[in-house]
Amino acid sequence: MNASLHGVIPAAGTGSRMAADRPKQYLQIGGHTLLEISAQTLLRVPGMASLTIALHPQDDRARGLPLLQDPRIRFTVGGEERADSVLAALLAITGTEDDWVLVHDAARPGLPLAAAQRLIERVLAAGRGGILALPLVDTIKRADREGLIEATLERDRLWRAQTPQMFRLGELTAALQQAAASGQGVTDEASAMELAGHPVQLVPGSPANLKVTLPEDLALAAWYLGAKEGVCE
């Protein structure tokens, strides 16, 4: 691969739905924070040139974490929304517009390295960006404002988006800037790329790559990881 590969982790959020005494990226599994575990997975990807982590401006935890001392890691100040933090990280990367970027959630500690490599292989083979995702298997209901079922949706072509999401550095930067300038809120990088008119491919992810959002998710993530000492080794 001629172009370089970079990682980005937006970690400026507070994780209010966890109802914990700290942002969820600093909750621990096996003695390590979710942020450390997620970062270590990206750093193990062959050819990863750098990893930029966007932090809350008052965050004083990350820089002292043992597993975040890799010389490829740099920190930058994130923003109010995920898209703001990702954009700040992209602008901090030293690279070319044709470089590739993997954007990954700090709260997805269970990402299998094989899934990340599968995404990279598919994206490079096709020459277009893509995301890890899982097809829906449950019956999907749409509710009205009173919590009553309004409709049952066809699930045949519905997928649950995961991360990493992989795109060209220049294209993703421009797409996020365009979305911000137009006032269109985007909840992930693929949304910004779609709005900018770029095709985005879906690459099968893994159930282990769940996002820790609610308290019960932490136990499930720990189960997937084995919750043993040395989980990041």
Side-chain angles (χ1 to χ4, degrees):
M1 181 176 66
N2 294 327
S4 296
L5 180 65
H6 305 275
V8 163
I9 296 180
T14 58
S16 58
R17 283 179 287 180
M18 281 297 296
D21 62 351
R22 68 197 71 182
K24 64 182 177 182
Q25 60 266 32
Y26 295 115
L27 298 175
Q28 294 191 359
I29 294 176
H32 301 297
T33 64
L34 302 186
L35 176 57
E36 288 177 285
I37 299 170
S38 296
Q40 284 295 301
T41 300
L42 287 191
L43 290 172
R44 287 200 297 271
V45 171
M48 186 63 68
S50 73
L51 173 59
T52 304
I53 302 175
L55 301 173
H56 190 279
Q58 296 179 340
D59 188 331
D60 59 0
R61 300 174 187 249
R63 290 174 175 82
L65 293 173
L67 295 182
L68 297 185
Q69 304 308 309
D70 189 292
R72 290 173 290 172
I73 294 178
R74 66 195 68 183
F75 300 98
T76 192
V77 176
E80 289 291 328
E81 304 294 337
R82 174 198 174 87
D84 301 325
S85 294
V86 173
L87 181 57
L90 295 177
L91 293 173
I93 292 174
T94 302
T96 70
E97 290 190 349
D98 288 335
D99 284 351
W100 292 99
V101 179
L102 283 173
V103 183
H104 187 49
D105 293 329
R108 290 187 187 271
L111 170 67
L113 185 58
Q117 292 176 316
R118 180 165 59 248
L119 174 65
I120 293 169
E121 290 170 2
R122 298 277 187 92
V123 166
L124 294 181
R128 62 173 177 265
I131 71 171
L132 289 181
L134 288 176
L136 291 179
V137 295
D138 297 317
T139 299
I140 304 301
K141 306 290 186 181
R142 185 176 68 224
D144 63 16
R145 295 183 181 279
E146 296 180 358
L148 301 176
I149 294 174
E150 188 175 73
T152 299
L153 306 181
E154 293 292 335
R155 67 187 179 197
D156 293 350
R157 295 191 296 166
L158 297 179
W159 292 63
R160 287 189 291 124
Q162 297 185 332
T163 66
Q165 303 196 354
M166 180 175 173
F167 301 102
R168 294 277 189 189
L169 173 58
E171 291 179 345
L172 180 56
T173 301
L176 287 170
Q177 289 174 328
Q178 179 180 325
S182 63
Q184 294 176 296
V186 292
T187 56
D188 68 353
E189 295 66 57
S191 300
M193 293 295 282
E194 293 163 42
L195 286 171
H198 296 285
V200 179
Q201 60 178 314
L202 295 162
V203 178
S206 167
N209 190 25
L210 65 94
K211 186 176 183 180
V212 176
T213 303
L214 301 173
E216 55 266 29
D217 297 331
L218 190 64
L220 184 55
W223 181 82
Y224 274 116
L225 283 167
K228 59 181 181 295
E229 292 296 327
V231 69
C232 293
E233 295 176 358

